[in-house]
Amino acid sequence: MAAVKLINVSKVYDGKNKVVHEVDLEINDKEFVVLVGPSGCGKSTTLRMIAGLEEISEGEIFIDGKLVNNVQSKDRDIAMVFQNYALYPHMTVFDNMAFGLKLRKFSKNEITERVNHAAKILDMEHLLDRKPKQLSGGQRQRVAVGRAIVRKPKVFLFDEPLSNLDAKLRVQMRAEITRLHQRLEATTIYVTHDQTEAMTMGDRIVVLKDGIVQQVDSPMNLYNRPANKFVAGFIGSPAINFIDGKIVKENGLAFISREKLISFQLSPDNSEKLIPYIGRDVTLGIRPEEFRIESKGGYKINVEVDLVEQLGSDVYLHFNLEGIPFIGRVKPTMDFRSRKEFELYFGSEMIHLFDSAEGKKIN
Amino acid sequence: MKKYLVISIAIILGVMTFLPFLWMISASFMSTGAANTYPPKLFPDKFDFSHYQNLLTRLNLARYLLNSLVISLGVTFFSLLLNSMAGYAFAKYRFARKKRLFKFLLSSMIIPGQVTMLPVFLILKNMGFINTYFAIIVPGMASIFGIFLIRQYALSIPDSLIEAAKMDGATELQIYFRVILPLCKPILVTLGLFTFMGTWNDFLWPLIVMTDSSMYTMPVALANLMSEHVQDTELMMAGSVITIVPVLIVFLALQKYYIKGIMMGSVKE
Ligand SMILES: Nc1ncnc2c1ncn2[C@@H]1O[C@H](COP(=O)(O)OP(=O)(O)OP(=O)(O)O)[C@@H](O)[C@H]1O
Ligand SMILES: [Mg+2]
């Protein structure tokens, strides 16, 4: 097991396209770190540089304290699970898992033992004689994971391993991989574009955008204290609601949206930080679940709901404010379909304010 | 109804194409002169193996058979090895001017083989290869068509498979032998079959480079025989049978894979 350290790592394609920008990252031993971000943000490229499948243009990568920039993949002692599984089609499941061990000259007994053990953990002992094309998507995924674990590598790398599975299987495999990590306690770097996967699996999450690290933090911190507008918008489902406005000074500090439909006093705790932003454009972010249907203090807004989505445990209320679509997430305490006009309340503790121009969080 | 019509037409056509072939075999067993009688016979009155005996003993055909076999197998083996390596490299390796080099190779396919015969002959002569097996094996070791065929096939192998093998600890050579080659089997069989048959049946090139009669290949030897024994139809037919049988065996044995090879990629698996 090992720590992984990236110092100032960049990737430039064809001498001009910089797709990963000076990534600094320290991944501790036994940690499960998720790289998440929208398509094309450089997640795979970063992972592949760690794997040794892609040259490192600038910076240094250390695995277990050893500089690996010029170490070949096969000598880095890492294993990777690919999005398309990448099983060898001409080999049986057993041979697929045994291949890496055979190349590393393990004894026959050791190979059999390790493969059987992995098959047992992944509940696929009955599949060992099959060829990959005789397996379902979920089973192939298992074999791919099995192939990674039999080698007992220092670091596991996953590149969107679940994105080819259907929704139900994805949830199941998600839990399985998390459990596997708890059991094996191996350092794991997991790439996904799915924020739910990131939130549920990661000890820490790295949010990437356009090859730049936006924030590295635990799932809860990422959710409650996003570093900027992008992170706030990316993490959470349904997504956070944004509305532009200004900070003004009346008594204390207050936020007023452009068309003044939302206006409320900001809590004095943050005024220190907010004073420089008086009169400037800011963006307010409110998570859907911050809206409440009953008043327990807080601020009131009158909304006209144009769509109600009932999920059983929750109800999503869709409405427009100043031409911007909002979603509120409330408990199903009443029949929301019977009327359109609602009074919604929210408190000022859990709101987020961002500098509109830079996107930086300011409160 | 329509189905039966199609089948019966197919059968008639099949018999018509197969008949000369059948008669060749049948005539090779007739006693001397029997094939030329009128009305022509379809089957020998009694089986006469003397032509085969003659060919293999007195006329030294065994030697030519061996020549053909060594040359054809040699060309097939080396061309499969080299073409697959080159095709794989063109498909999956990143190197400078790859595209341009490949286009250049492809464009050389339009040069007719006859144009290069003389220069190649001279080169081989200077190397001292004339009248050796190398004279045919060396020029046949790589073909642009073969490289192209393998490249197209190898392009369909996902990169991640090669990367997975790398992470599993395979060296480049191990990746090639243990992952790429097995996956290319259908196309290798197809190409191997083409190459084997092409080399076995080739007449002109062996005629040019094998001036010593002991180095003749089957087709050359047969042609030679023909000029000496024009009237002996039965002997000629026996010679033809011996020439064709090895190719036939190879073809039938590999037919299963061969069909798979040319059908490959037409349907999504
Ligand atoms: N071989 C390459 N040559 C040039 N550009 C590349 C190459 N591979 C990737 N890129 C570019 O690098 C950027 C990052 O790609 P990368 O595959 O890392 O994205 P990603 O975050 O994994 O996206 P996805 O979620 O779609 O897999 C993209 O803009 C892509 O076009
Ligand atoms: Mg990717």
Side-chain angles (χ1 to χ4, degrees):
Chain A
M1 303 303 118
V4 178
K5 196 162 158 189
L6 280 71
I7 301 175
N8 244 325
V9 171
S10 296
K11 177 71 194 181
V12 182
Y13 277 117
D14 313 321
K16 53 184 191 294
N17 282 336
K18 195 161 183 176
V19 299
V20 174
H21 296 256
E22 290 94 23
V23 171
D24 274 310
L25 192 59
E26 249 183 82
I27 296 159
N28 303 320
D29 188 17
K30 300 177 185 170
E31 199 174 17
F32 196 120
V33 166
V34 178
L35 301 185
V36 70
S39 187
C41 69
K43 311 178 290 284
S44 298
T45 308
T46 308
L47 194 75
R48 291 164 57 82
M49 283 193 283
I50 299 171
L53 297 172
E54 208 75 66
E55 221 169 291
I56 301 160
S57 310
E58 286 161 37
E60 295 171 329
I61 295 181
F62 293 86
I63 296 176
D64 203 9
K66 199 175 133 214
L67 182 68
V68 295
N69 281 41
N70 295 317
V71 177
Q72 287 195 321
S73 306
K74 66 187 181 72
D75 302 321
R76 291 192 188 188
D77 200 8
I78 47 186
M80 182 155 166
V81 176
F82 294 83
Q83 176 173 355
N84 62 358
Y85 320 132
L87 301 179
Y88 310 118
H90 56 296
M91 297 182 197
T92 62
V93 168
F94 183 95
D95 289 333
N96 260 284
M97 294 205 275
F99 189 60
L101 300 174
K102 279 183 195 159
L103 292 174
R104 289 184 157 81
K105 307 252 181 306
F106 280 82
S107 75
K108 261 225 164 69
N109 290 337
E110 175 86 14
I111 292 176
T112 318
E113 192 182 311
R114 283 197 186 197
V115 172
N116 285 335
H117 183 65
K120 201 164 161 193
I121 292 180
L122 293 164
D123 190 22
M124 53 178 197
E125 286 158 300
H126 57 296
L127 302 175
L128 286 176
D129 294 328
R130 295 212 196 155
K131 292 267 177 73
K133 71 165 175 244
Q134 299 165 308
L135 301 175
S136 71
Q139 290 169 333
R140 283 179 206 184
Q141 188 57 65
R142 255 168 243 259
V143 179
V145 173
R147 185 171 64 184
I149 65 177
V150 287
R151 289 216 339 257
K152 302 187 182 162
K154 283 185 186 147
V155 182
F156 285 107
L157 307 178
F158 290 85
D159 191 356
E160 309 214 14
L162 306 184
S163 54
N164 284 350
L165 303 179
D166 64 51
K168 200 172 159 196
L169 208 53
R170 206 178 308 164
V171 174
Q172 193 185 327
M173 281 304 287
R174 198 166 79 196
E176 216 163 298
I177 291 178
T178 311
R179 246 177 251 130
L180 196 66
H181 172 252
Q182 285 163 359
R183 175 167 185 169
L184 301 175
E185 296 195 311
T187 313
T188 302
I189 308 174
Y190 187 104
V191 162
T192 178
H193 63 259
D194 179 4
Q195 60 93 22
T196 318
E197 253 170 54
M199 290 293 282
T200 50
M201 301 176 86
D203 293 329
R204 275 194 307 155
I205 298 175
V206 180
V207 183
L208 276 169
K209 183 195 169 203
D210 299 334
I212 301 168
V213 174
Q214 306 291 310
Q215 189 171 0
V216 184
D217 222 326
S218 70
M220 283 329 282
N221 279 345
L222 222 52
Y223 191 78
N224 293 325
R225 289 199 283 281
N228 58 37
K229 206 172 143 183
F230 175 80
V231 175
F234 192 78
I235 303 290
S237 166
I240 193 168
N241 302 291
F242 288 122
I243 187 161
D244 290 335
K246 276 190 167 34
I247 292 180
V248 294
K249 190 168 177 181
E250 18 166 277
N251 304 330
L253 295 180
F255 173 86
I256 301 183
S257 68
R258 266 198 203 137
E259 292 168 27
K260 308 204 167 43
L261 286 177
I262 294 186
S263 92
F264 60 93
Q265 290 285 319
L266 294 164
S267 85
D269 310 349
N270 284 323
S271 28
E272 202 82 333
K273 284 193 231 160
L274 293 177
I275 284 173
Y277 288 91
I278 291 173
R280 286 169 58 183
D281 288 338
V282 296
T283 303
L284 170 70
I286 308 177
R287 297 241 177 242
E289 64 273 19
E290 297 304 327
F291 290 108
R292 295 189 303 266
I293 206 77
E294 70 285 349
S295 164
K296 282 190 271 175
Y299 305 97
K300 186 178 85 175
I301 47 171
N302 292 309
V303 302
E304 188 178 328
V305 170
D306 51 31
L307 177 67
V308 176
E309 288 179 312
Q310 294 177 304
L311 275 79
S313 59
D314 294 303
V315 178
Y316 294 171
L317 303 174
H318 294 250
F319 52 93
N320 270 287
L321 282 180
E322 304 185 3
I324 300 161
F326 270 67
I327 297 182
R329 175 181 187 164
V330 296
K331 290 291 161 197
T333 49
M334 54 185 278
D335 180 10
F336 289 93
R337 303 221 173 191
S338 58
R339 59 189 170 113
K340 283 200 168 300
E341 313 274 320
F342 289 91
E343 288 174 350
L344 294 181
Y345 299 86
F346 64 91
S348 65
E349 315 81 47
M350 288 304 287
I351 56 134
H352 307 282
L353 285 169
F354 306 97
D355 179 333
S356 290
E358 291 173 25
K360 197 174 77 192
K361 172 140 169 154
I362 55 178
N363 70 332
Chain B
M1 189 59 216
K2 201 174 148 207
K3 199 173 114 197
Y4 289 115
L5 196 72
V6 171
I7 290 175
S8 35
I9 291 177
I11 288 175
I12 293 170
L13 286 177
V15 170
M16 275 166 65
T17 15
F18 195 60
L19 216 55
F21 185 75
L22 210 63
W23 192 76
M24 171 184 80
I25 296 173
S26 149
S28 71
F29 290 110
M30 293 178 192
S31 44
T32 309
N36 293 344
T37 51
Y38 186 86
K41 288 185 196 144
L42 216 47
F43 297 103
D45 299 328
K46 66 172 179 51
F47 279 88
D48 184 350
F49 293 94
S50 62
H51 308 300
Y52 288 96
Q53 267 167 5
N54 251 338
L55 284 171
L56 292 176
T57 53
R58 193 165 60 81
L59 296 170
N60 211 9
L61 221 65
R63 166 79 201 185
Y64 306 133
L65 205 60
L66 182 75
N67 288 347
S68 267
L69 219 58
V70 169
I71 288 169
S72 298
L73 288 178
V75 169
T76 307
F77 174 79
F78 283 111
S79 77
L80 282 187
L81 187 74
L82 297 182
N83 286 338
S84 65
M85 280 184 172
Y88 165 51
F90 272 117
K92 292 296 175 189
Y93 276 47
R94 278 188 237 168
F95 56 89
R97 312 237 157 64
K98 179 168 94 168
K99 281 223 176 84
R100 225 184 282 175
L101 182 61
F102 190 65
K103 273 189 194 147
F104 172 73
L105 286 182
L106 275 190
S107 62
S108 73
M109 269 173 82
I110 56 169
I111 301 171
Q114 287 82 348
V115 174
T116 56
M117 274 181 176
L118 186 63
V120 173
F121 176 81
L122 291 176
I123 293 171
L124 291 173
K125 195 173 162 216
N126 282 331
M127 294 168 86
F129 283 171
I130 299 302
N131 278 322
T132 67
Y133 292 145
F134 293 122
I136 298 176
I137 293 177
V138 171
M141 278 200 306
S143 79
I144 293 162
F145 177 68
I147 293 172
F148 176 75
L149 212 60
I150 305 250
R151 171 185 177 266
Q152 295 312 103
Y153 194 86
L155 279 176
S156 69
I157 298 175
D159 288 342
S160 57
L161 222 52
I162 297 164
E163 290 170 350
K166 265 186 203 158
M167 313 266 323
D168 263 342
T171 60
E172 293 296 340
L173 223 55
Q174 283 169 327
I175 293 174
Y176 167 73
F177 277 113
R178 302 182 66 165
V179 178
I180 301 300
L181 274 194
L183 289 178
C184 284
K185 200 165 105 187
I187 198 71
L188 289 176
V189 170
T190 308
L191 184 62
L193 207 59
F194 278 138
T195 310
F196 184 86
M197 295 204 299
T199 314
W200 184 277
N201 293 332
D202 191 17
F203 174 70
L204 193 54
W205 188 248
L207 186 70
I208 295 174
V209 292
M210 300 302 198
T211 48
D212 181 349
S213 69
S214 71
M215 293 304 289
Y216 282 175
T217 58
M218 282 301 287
V220 177
L222 202 66
N224 220 36
L225 212 63
M226 210 145 18
S227 51
E228 287 167 26
H229 304 259
V230 212
Q231 335 68 351
D232 198 343
T233 315
E234 296 77 18
L235 187 76
M236 294 315 305
M237 290 303 145
S240 302
V241 170
I242 296 179
T243 311
I244 284 175
V245 161
V247 193
L248 204 65
I249 292 173
V250 172
F251 183 83
L252 291 178
L254 297 179
Q255 190 189 31
K256 199 176 92 196
Y257 304 98
Y258 168 70
I259 289 168
K260 207 160 126 198
I262 47 178
M263 297 293 287
M264 212 62 194
S266 58
V267 283
K268 194 170 179 293
E269 287 194 40

